Amino acid sequence: MVVDQLSEVFDLIEIHGLVSGGFATRGPWVARAPIEDPLKLIAMVYGRARLTTDGVDGPIELEPGDVAILNNRSWIEQEGGTGDGPRQEILPEENFSLLADADRGTVDVVIGIAVDLNPAGQALLLQALPAVGHVRASTAATNLRGSLDRLFDEVTGNRIGSAFAIRQYGQLLLLEVLRAYVGQAELPPGWLRLLADERLRPALRLMHTEPGKPWGLLELARATAMSRTSFAERFRSVAGQPPLTYLNRWRMLLAQRALRDGEVRIGSLASELGYASESAFSTAFKREVGESPLRYRYRVRDEFPPRAKPAMASAGIDTAR
């Protein structure tokens, strides 16, 4: 089976899309609100709107099925609708049953999705995305429109099991948004752009499959059929960091998950991740994370209780030891 690095990273950062609000309205309207979540999606289910937020020179024109990605923004303003008269100020509703009777052909429908990220997710995803992204449904090669329709049906259907379905469809919508964005936009250097680079993928697969192996530049370059110099230059350009720096940070992300969600001993974890001693691992961990492995384990478990104990077979780490 081909290793899917995007799915692997989704598992690592325990990414969840949580529907946080929405509204349906007709006629001229405006909606203003602060943004409290580090990563937020605004989905234009039906209708059209203009979206403005801090860090954007002009409004983003959202058409049916479009999604805006807001990365560490502090406020949002949307306006839309046609007709005479002043704009009605709209407040997003948390009671989505109010959307059930919306006439999809004549009203504007907006859904907000807060993306819940663990600390590893904040380190990876937020750095890989621009401050504001615009995913256009009209040019998306993925099933973005279908995922959005299914999410909206669950939000408004009031059916048995809808809460579970909304969580799943929210997560799938986020996946479709990232897939579409990778295909539409010029990504900044970082993890997401690295995953999309086909030439570097063989080296990335080696590092992800066997993170504890002492990989060198020559071995990784050979996997990509590139010279050592060309490989190192391309990797730095795409990922924003050298290959071995990326490998070390990937090990540290795996270590953080193991420490947070499992009972693995520090010495065993150090060995699994390729460190010669527990001391060497602890030094590297403190340099990268800013505190010792044990202190990190105690602090993060208090702040971010584990959702579930994950399997880490792809990293060779047994969290049950």
Side-chain angles (χ1 to χ4, degrees):
M1 179 179 178
V2 176
V3 176
D4 178 358
Q5 276 81 38
L6 181 57
S7 297
E8 184 181 28
V9 172
F10 260 50
D11 287 338
L12 174 68
I13 65 181
E14 300 175 1
I15 199 165
H16 293 263
L18 309 173
V19 177
S20 57
F23 59 86
T25 188
R26 59 169 49 89
W29 58 269
V30 61
R32 304 180 180 92
I35 299 177
E36 299 177 355
D37 305 287
L39 186 59
K40 183 99 173 184
L41 304 182
I42 302 297
M44 194 76 215
V45 186
Y46 300 105
R48 290 174 170 79
R50 293 169 297 281
L51 181 151
T52 307
T53 185
D54 49 320
V56 178
D57 293 333
I60 297 173
E61 301 288 340
L62 296 178
E63 298 187 350
D66 285 6
V67 178
I69 305 170
L70 306 179
N71 180 6
N72 274 322
R73 301 299 88 196
S74 61
W75 59 268
I76 181 175
E77 178 175 303
Q78 302 168 83
E79 60 179 31
T82 58
D84 299 329
R87 294 191 181 277
Q88 177 187 5
E89 186 153 357
I90 302 295
L91 296 177
E93 299 284 350
E94 294 184 1
N95 181 4
F96 296 107
S97 63
L98 298 176
L99 301 181
D101 297 328
D103 184 349
R104 302 183 185 189
T106 63
V107 300
D108 297 326
V109 179
V110 177
I111 287 180
I113 301 166
V115 181
D116 183 24
L117 299 169
N118 66 16
Q122 294 182 21
L124 276 177
L125 193 55
L126 297 184
Q127 293 178 8
L129 290 170
V132 180
H134 182 191
V135 179
R136 303 177 188 276
S138 60
T139 58
T142 61
N143 193 25
L144 178 60
R145 176 76 256 184
S147 295
L148 189 54
D149 284 340
R150 287 189 291 272
L151 175 62
F152 182 72
D153 287 342
E154 289 294 340
V155 165
T156 59
N158 196 28
R159 293 178 288 186
I160 184 171
S162 61
F164 176 80
I166 289 169
R167 288 195 299 271
Q168 300 305 308
Y169 284 133
Q171 191 164 351
L172 288 173
L173 177 64
L174 177 59
L175 174 60
E176 295 293 351
V177 166
L178 291 179
R179 283 173 169 172
Y181 192 68
V182 167
Q184 292 180 14
E186 180 64 31
L187 296 170
W191 156 74
L192 199 55
R193 184 173 168 186
L194 178 61
L195 291 186
D197 193 293
E198 293 186 2
R199 291 201 66 188
L200 294 175
R201 194 169 295 162
L204 191 65
R205 185 178 300 120
L206 292 179
M207 289 189 281
H208 280 223
T209 303
E210 298 183 79
K213 188 172 179 179
W215 296 108
L217 278 180
L218 186 57
E219 291 175 285
L220 296 172
R222 284 173 177 168
T224 63
M226 299 169 68
S227 71
R228 176 174 169 169
T229 300
S230 297
F231 168 73
E233 290 177 351
R234 184 180 182 91
F235 197 102
R236 181 189 287 270
S237 173
V238 170
Q241 57 190 297
L244 299 186
T245 300
Y246 175 87
L247 174 60
N248 180 64
R249 289 179 176 171
W250 177 248
R251 288 169 173 168
M252 292 298 104
L253 289 171
L254 293 175
Q256 288 174 60
R257 180 172 69 173
L259 291 166
R260 185 182 68 250
D261 295 338
E263 301 299 333
V264 61
R265 296 188 299 272
I266 304 299
S268 298
L269 182 57
S271 178
E272 293 284 354
L273 290 176
Y275 291 89
S277 66
E278 181 177 333
S279 175
F281 166 72
S282 296
T283 298
F285 188 94
K286 187 171 184 179
R287 182 170 57 246
E288 178 68 24
V289 181
E291 56 190 336
S292 71
L294 280 178
R295 183 177 293 275
Y296 173 86
R297 167 178 273 167
Y298 297 141
R299 178 183 61 79
V300 176
R301 285 189 177 185
D302 288 339
E303 296 177 6
F304 301 91
R307 297 186 180 101
K309 182 181 289 186
M312 298 187 70
S314 62
I317 298 173
D318 182 2
T319 59
R321 280 184 294 185

